[in-house]
Amino acid sequence: MKTPFKRKLTLIPALVLLGFCFPAVKWGISDLNAYPVRYDIQRWQSDSRLPSREELSKTHVAIQSSIHWNQDPELYDYQGRLFHYEALISENNLLKTTALRNALESFRHANTLRRQWPYSQANIALMKAMLGEFDQEYRQMLKLSASHGPWENGVNLALTEAGLLGWSTLNKQDKQLIVENIQRGIRRNMKHMKIIINRYNKRSLVCASIRRDRYQKQLCGF
């Protein structure tokens, strides 16, 4: 018969094992909740459409549950993108502004956890631009995202939109940064770059600024 002391010794390895297993269980639950969010965002992007309110509500619940189990910076990025979508489908200006501020805070939090990640930085710049806040943080995030992820497709798209929104506030150096980003972007994703450039009626400006090559001709028609 085991003495109480021996029973305690037997329990120690089990507790140690549980301590190692619990983080893995938390990660697994978090990833299970995050999977449909990743899938839905990819589907909306592929279809070039905005989600319905019902779709957004469902994914918001899933990402919040995922973050509850695991505070990974990627999850805050997804949360920020959901808030961004919420802003895009909001017709009420107050609700739109609130959603943009929530998105900005999510992207900022992701950036504090992963300082070299260009997607968070490009999206901070975009949220600032959509809020009309063309300040030092906006310009710094333009530079950091371009530096950390110059050939990342999502960075090219977000940076193009952020730069075109704030074009009149940029100095010559920052405008050149956006022009170079657009030149890289049209090589990788002409379709979506065209959509952004046309959305802000900036095709003439862009076509006059970027380098003359076959991509410029494809974008501009001359």
Side-chain angles (χ1 to χ4, degrees):
M1 182 177 179
K2 291 183 179 180
T3 65
F5 179 71
K6 288 182 178 179
R7 283 198 296 269
K8 288 180 182 179
L9 288 179
T10 304
L11 283 173
I12 289 174
L15 291 173
V16 171
L17 181 61
L18 180 62
F20 280 110
C21 289
F22 187 61
V25 171
K26 289 174 62 179
W27 181 89
I29 296 173
S30 176
D31 194 58
L32 189 65
N33 282 284
Y35 176 79
V37 179
R38 297 187 186 99
Y39 174 79
D40 284 343
I41 290 177
Q42 290 172 359
R43 181 164 52 87
W44 301 334
Q45 289 178 331
S46 297
D47 296 344
S48 297
R49 72 171 182 89
L50 296 175
S52 67
R53 292 194 178 278
E54 291 75 17
E55 287 174 315
L56 262 185
S57 177
K58 181 180 177 181
T59 50
H60 265 305
V61 171
I63 201 64
Q64 287 167 4
S65 178
S66 185
I67 289 173
H68 172 77
W69 290 100
N70 179 21
Q71 289 73 54
D72 187 276
E74 182 183 23
L75 300 179
Y76 287 101
D77 264 334
Y78 282 123
Q79 184 183 56
R81 292 168 76 176
L82 294 180
F83 280 127
H84 183 197
Y85 274 122
E86 186 178 324
L88 293 177
I89 67 172
S90 294
E91 297 178 0
N92 181 284
N93 286 334
L94 179 59
L95 292 178
K96 180 175 183 176
T97 299
T98 299
L100 287 174
R101 295 219 169 273
N102 287 337
L104 178 59
E105 288 308 309
S106 293
F107 290 129
R108 279 174 173 164
H109 193 66
N111 188 52
T112 62
L113 296 173
R114 187 165 49 179
R115 291 288 186 180
Q116 304 296 316
W117 192 238
Y119 287 91
S120 304
Q121 294 159 349
N123 279 309
I124 290 173
L126 178 54
M127 296 307 102
K128 296 283 289 185
M130 294 183 73
L131 287 164
E133 298 177 358
F134 305 109
D135 53 16
Q136 180 60 33
E137 182 184 27
Y138 163 74
R139 292 188 295 273
Q140 181 185 28
M141 291 301 156
L142 291 180
K143 295 172 183 176
L144 286 175
S145 58
S147 173
H148 292 152
W151 288 99
E152 295 292 334
N153 185 49
V155 173
N156 295 148
L157 295 172
L159 202 53
T160 295
E161 188 167 2
L164 293 180
L165 275 168
W167 185 263
S168 63
T169 72
L170 299 177
N171 59 34
K172 183 177 180 180
Q173 182 181 2
D174 291 338
K175 286 180 178 178
Q176 184 59 32
L177 180 149
I178 299 301
V179 167
E180 291 172 358
N181 172 76
I182 292 173
Q183 289 174 167
R184 292 190 296 269
I186 61 177
R187 288 173 176 267
R188 295 174 59 83
N189 195 338
M190 178 68 73
K191 176 184 174 181
H192 287 98
M193 292 292 288
K194 275 186 177 180
I195 290 172
I196 293 171
I197 292 166
N198 291 337
R199 180 186 301 155
Y200 298 105
N201 196 28
K202 298 290 187 181
R203 181 174 289 203
S204 296
L205 183 151
V206 168
C207 290
S209 302
I210 61 176
R211 182 173 56 249
R212 294 289 185 92
D213 57 19
R214 65 188 181 93
Y215 298 101
Q216 189 263 7
K217 186 175 182 179
Q218 186 179 348
L219 174 68
C220 307
F222 59 84

